[in-house]
């Protein structure tokens, strides 16, 4: 403070002299006004600089650590791997519009169409089941290439199909490719991402599924003007193009460091970790964790080592399904439950059958139907991007509960509007406007919570030893329910009216809201140990959370 006081006095004195006549004359003669004062000022300025420098050092010591800059190399690798989810999204989107042109050209029944549309989700389970062993055998990177190549073949087969059986073969092959992509993309993303970006990147597969859906909708509109027998073939066949670019792009990515360690290639794994970590210290920690999981001694630093065969997880399945602890049972209920309600609340009915639903609402021409469908895809994609960037700021529970509440209102309004339209013998403009608004509202609310949080929440609540098998059960649930909705929606709305179908989806969403509100603790910002302590209490998790908070505060005091 003394230095500051001297500085102000000197400054003030200088200001007074600056306006005086003697000062101006001395300056003209190039003579300092007070030589002794100038020397004092120099000493004081030196003292000020010394003290100021020390102050800056002290302040710097108390500054909070700056967050690490995003590792662009790891970000690019994880993003490119997640982009394989576009394959699933494109198939979902393109089939929504292509189905009506296929039906006109090949004269399929509604029953055949709904099986054709929904069966890919069940076929994808074959690829998902094989993805784990395949990726352990040939590596994560080449498994992604295999996914792209398989989908490429399936898309070509569908584009050249001449009958129902031929189309089903193409759907089967494409489904295997989708299954590979669906399972391997999150695995590679998690294994290559630094800790600072892993949570953010976990939601990327869902983002790219929505991008793929939007591309599928655009493809429907782009080729709808072609002759009927060519239009749908181009819609399906063009899906081969992104798979080629994705496969070629993946070849430029590094192999997963975890897979390299499993093969005993420690030097290669260290090289990849150094490039994909935020610091060399983090790289060393990640390598040590992977070596421990692979059973390699920590002090082993050879370039290439021999790794013993790993267990295939028989004990893990027993712990999950046969003898689960209360904590594991609660986690499994939450993970499987959120995947079930995500699909059972009707999102695939809207996404897969948008043109049919718009037709029921009175929009009967192809071009307005497809443009309205593009609007659905655009809104869905935009809102999931919003959710991705706010997921870690707002928290899982608030976003999820807000999302489901909005979905319930939207589904009830959809059911009401479609019932009014269905029972009217003339066009009701306000009901059509309400229907279009509520469709957009429904996909928007789905995308801000239920869409991305399903994947993020289920991947972060399982303990590390159970994560692979637990997430695979959740994904199987997701695909089976999605396939069931896709293969039965036309029959459902014919049996109970289209408005009745959406009232059922609204009822399922209400049950989902109750399930999430009572059984889902918040996981944002919690360590794995804290998550495991909160789970296992089922409906009493709030009480347990308060007890843990009190213990933590007492320990800090």
């Amino acid at each position: 403070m003394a230095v500051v006081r001297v500085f102000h006095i000197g400054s003030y004195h200088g200001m007074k002299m600056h306006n005086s006549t003697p000062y101006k004359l001395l300056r003209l003669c190039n003579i300092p006004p007070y030589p002794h004062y100038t020397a004092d000022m120099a000493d004081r300025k030196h003292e000020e600089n010394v003290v100021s420098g020390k102050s800056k050092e002290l302040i710097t010591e108390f500054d909070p650590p700056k967050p690490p800059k995003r590792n662009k190399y790891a970000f690019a690798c994880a993003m490119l791997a997640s982009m394989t989810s576009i394959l699933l999204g494109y198939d979902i989107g393109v089939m929504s519009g292509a189905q009506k042109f296929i039906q006109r050209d090949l004269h399929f029944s509604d029953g055949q169409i709904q099986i054709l549309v929904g069966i890919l989700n069940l076929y994808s389970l074959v690829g998902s089941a094989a993805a784990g062993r395949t990726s352990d055998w040939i590596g994560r990177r080449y498994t992604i290439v295999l996914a792209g190549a398989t989908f490429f073949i399936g898309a070509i087969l569908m584009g050249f199909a001449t009958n129902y059986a031929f189309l089903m073969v193409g759907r089967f092959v494409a489904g295997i490719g989708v299954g590979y992509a669906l399972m391997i993309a999150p695995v590679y993303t998690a294994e290559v991402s630094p800790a600072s970006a892993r949570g953010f990147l976990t939601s990327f597969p869902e983002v790219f599924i929505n991008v793929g859906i939007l591309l599928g909708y655009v493809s429907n509109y782009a080729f709808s003007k072609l002759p009927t027998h060519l239009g749908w073939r181009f819609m399906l066949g063009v899906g081969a193009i992104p798979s080629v670019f994705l496969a070629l792009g993946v070849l430029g990515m590094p192999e997963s460091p975890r897979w390299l360690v499993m093969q005993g290639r420690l030097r290669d794994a260290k090289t990849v970790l150094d490039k994909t970590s935020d610091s060399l210290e983090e790289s060393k920690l990640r390598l040590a964790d992977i070596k421990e999981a692979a059973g390699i001694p920590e002090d082993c630093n050879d370039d290439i080592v021999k790794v013993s065969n790993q267990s295939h997880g028989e004990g893990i399945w027993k712990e999950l399904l046969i003898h689960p602890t209360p904590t594991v049972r609660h986690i499994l209920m939450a993970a499987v439950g959120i995947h079930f309600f995500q699909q059972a609340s009707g999102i695939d009915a809207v996404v897969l059958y948008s043109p049919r639903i718009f037709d029921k609402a009175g929009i009967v021409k192809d071009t307005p139907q497809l443009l309205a469908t593009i609007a659905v895809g655009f809104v869905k994609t935009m809102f999931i991007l919003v959710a991705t960037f706010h997921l870690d700021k707002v928290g899982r529970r608030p976003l999820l509960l807000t999302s489901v509440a909005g979905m319930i209102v939207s589904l009830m309004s959809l059911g009401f509007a479609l019932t009014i339209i269905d029972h009217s013998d003339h066009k009701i403009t306000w009901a059509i406007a309400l229907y279009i608004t509520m469709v957009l509202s429904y996909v928007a609310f789905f995308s801000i919570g239920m869409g991305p949080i399903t994947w993020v929440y289920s991947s972060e609540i399982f303990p590390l030893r159970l994560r692979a098998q637990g997430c695979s059960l959740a994904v199987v649930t997701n695909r089976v329910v999605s396939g069931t909705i896709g293969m039965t929606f036309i029959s459902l709305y014919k049996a109970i009216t289209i408005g009745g179908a959406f009232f059922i989806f609204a009822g399922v969403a209400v049950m989902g809201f109750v399930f999430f509100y009572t059984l889902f603790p918040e996981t944002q910002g919690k360590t794995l140990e804290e998550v495991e302590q909160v789970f296992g209490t089922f409906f009493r998790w709030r009480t347990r959370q308060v007890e843990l908070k009190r213990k933590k505060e007492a320990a800090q005091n």
Side-chain angles (χ1 to χ4, degrees):
M1 291 299 291
V3 173
V4 174
R5 198 172 293 123
V6 169
F7 174 78
H8 281 295
I9 291 170
S11 298
Y12 178 69
H13 185 72
M15 286 170 61
K16 285 170 59 178
M17 284 189 61
H18 183 74
N19 293 322
S20 65
T21 303
Y23 178 81
K24 294 177 181 176
L25 291 171
L26 288 169
R27 286 298 301 265
L28 287 171
C29 297
N30 201 23
I31 301 171
Y34 293 104
H36 65 281
Y37 179 80
T38 307
D40 287 345
M41 280 299 297
D43 291 340
R44 287 169 181 172
K45 190 174 287 186
H46 174 71
E47 180 186 350
E48 179 186 344
N49 290 337
V50 171
V51 175
S52 177
K54 289 181 179 179
S55 300
K56 286 179 181 176
E57 290 177 6
L58 289 170
I59 291 170
T60 303
E61 289 177 7
F62 286 97
D63 281 346
K66 293 181 179 179
K69 291 183 178 180
R70 181 165 291 154
N71 188 307
K72 294 180 180 178
Y73 184 76
F75 186 81
C77 292
M79 179 176 283
L80 192 57
S82 298
M83 285 175 69
T84 57
S85 300
I86 285 178
L87 302 179
L88 173 61
Y90 182 84
D91 186 87
I92 292 171
V94 80
M95 282 304 293
S96 72
Q99 58 179 281
K100 65 187 302 180
F101 299 104
I102 293 172
Q103 192 168 20
R104 288 176 193 169
D105 184 31
L106 301 180
H107 309 292
F108 295 156
S109 67
D110 284 345
Q112 287 176 308
I113 285 293
Q114 68 180 0
I115 296 295
L116 188 69
V117 169
I119 198 69
L120 183 128
N121 288 297
L122 300 185
Y123 287 155
S124 69
L125 295 177
V126 178
S128 296
R133 295 290 180 90
T134 304
S135 65
D136 285 345
W137 179 38
I138 65 174
R140 306 332 189 204
R141 188 174 56 151
Y142 286 115
T143 303
I144 296 174
V145 174
L146 179 62
T150 308
F151 188 85
F152 174 84
I153 295 169
I156 295 297
L157 288 173
M158 287 189 290
F160 283 100
T162 55
N163 54 49
Y164 192 75
F166 201 157
L167 262 175
M168 288 296 280
V169 171
R171 297 292 283 168
F172 177 73
V173 176
I176 292 175
V178 165
Y180 271 119
L182 201 62
M183 285 299 290
I184 199 60
V187 171
Y188 181 90
T189 299
E191 292 179 352
V192 80
S193 301
S196 62
R198 192 172 298 136
F200 170 68
L201 293 172
T202 304
S203 60
F204 263 43
E206 180 71 14
V207 172
F208 285 112
I209 286 175
N210 283 273
V211 171
I213 290 171
L214 180 58
L215 290 175
Y217 288 161
V218 172
S219 174
N220 288 335
Y221 178 74
F223 296 114
S224 63
K225 303 299 183 183
L226 293 177
T228 303
H229 69 285
L230 290 178
W232 67 267
R233 298 180 190 279
F234 275 97
M235 294 173 191
L236 297 178
V238 163
I241 295 176
S243 65
V244 172
F245 284 107
L246 287 171
L248 292 175
V250 168
L251 290 175
M253 292 161 37
E255 185 49 84
S256 155
R258 182 178 177 83
W259 184 81
L260 291 171
V261 171
M262 288 165 57
Q263 305 305 306
R265 296 162 55 182
L266 297 187
R267 183 178 181 180
D268 292 339
K270 183 180 182 301
T271 301
V272 175
L273 287 169
D274 287 346
K275 289 183 178 180
T276 58
S277 298
D278 291 328
S279 65
L280 290 177
E281 290 75 15
E282 185 190 8
S283 173
K284 291 176 183 178
L285 288 172
R286 289 173 68 186
L287 181 60
D289 289 342
I290 298 171
K291 283 163 67 175
E292 182 182 357
I296 300 173
E298 187 177 350
D299 57 354
C300 179
N301 295 311
D302 297 339
D303 290 348
I304 299 176
V305 298
K306 187 176 181 180
V307 182
S308 59
N309 292 329
Q310 300 294 310
S311 167
H312 294 307
E314 290 82 359
I316 301 298
W317 287 114
K318 288 182 180 178
E319 187 176 355
L320 267 176
L321 301 175
I322 301 175
H323 303 296
T325 62
T327 297
V328 172
R329 190 181 295 115
H330 188 180
I331 289 172
L332 190 62
M333 284 175 60
V336 172
I338 194 170
H339 276 272
F340 171 82
F341 284 111
Q342 185 201 48
Q343 294 299 329
S345 55
I347 187 62
D348 272 5
V350 172
V351 173
L352 284 169
Y353 295 104
S354 285
R356 282 179 176 265
I357 300 170
F358 283 122
D359 182 76
K360 291 288 182 182
I363 304 172
V364 295
K365 292 184 178 179
D366 290 344
T367 299
Q369 280 182 10
L370 296 177
L371 286 174
T373 302
I374 290 175
V376 170
F378 180 78
V379 169
K380 198 170 187 297
T381 303
M382 289 302 101
F383 275 87
I384 202 163
L385 287 173
V386 171
T388 299
F389 288 102
H390 289 83
L391 198 60
D392 290 326
K393 296 177 183 178
V394 180
R396 280 55 160 160
R397 266 182 67 85
L399 274 178
L400 181 62
L401 294 175
T402 302
S403 169
V404 179
M407 287 166 59
I408 292 168
V409 174
S410 301
L411 287 167
M412 294 289 288
S413 301
L414 274 173
F416 172 73
L418 287 168
T419 301
I420 294 294
I421 294 169
D422 204 29
H423 287 79
S424 176
D425 54 0
H426 62 280
K427 204 170 191 177
I428 305 179
T429 306
W430 68 265
I432 295 173
L434 176 64
Y435 163 75
I436 294 172
T437 303
M438 287 302 104
V439 166
L440 298 179
S441 169
Y442 171 68
V443 297
F445 275 112
F446 177 89
S447 294
I448 64 166
M450 183 69 100
I453 290 175
T454 296
W455 301 96
V456 173
Y457 197 88
S458 61
S459 67
E460 68 186 359
I461 60 176
F462 281 105
L464 187 60
R465 69 185 185 281
L466 305 175
R467 188 163 297 158
Q469 287 81 357
C471 287
S472 67
L473 280 176
V475 170
V476 167
T477 303
N478 189 289
R479 292 298 89 197
V480 168
V481 177
S482 175
T484 303
I485 295 292
M487 291 191 295
T488 59
F489 179 68
I490 296 176
S491 300
L492 178 66
Y493 79 66
K494 283 185 174 181
I496 62 170
T497 74
I498 195 160
F502 280 99
F503 281 128
I504 287 180
F505 293 143
V508 172
V510 169
M511 290 190 289
F513 184 91
V514 174
F515 181 77
F516 300 142
Y517 184 81
T518 54
L519 285 172
F520 272 54
E522 179 59 76
T523 60
Q524 180 198 19
K526 288 184 171 58
T527 65
L528 184 60
E529 291 75 17
E530 289 172 335
V531 169
E532 289 191 30
Q533 288 175 337
V534 173
F535 278 94
T537 53
F538 297 95
F539 299 102
R540 300 188 305 277
W541 63 266
R542 290 178 182 80
T543 305
R544 180 62 174 160
Q545 205 166 38
V546 171
E547 291 174 359
L548 291 172
K549 186 177 180 180
R550 287 174 181 169
K551 287 181 181 179
K552 192 173 182 179
E553 290 174 353
Q556 289 175 347
N557 295 330

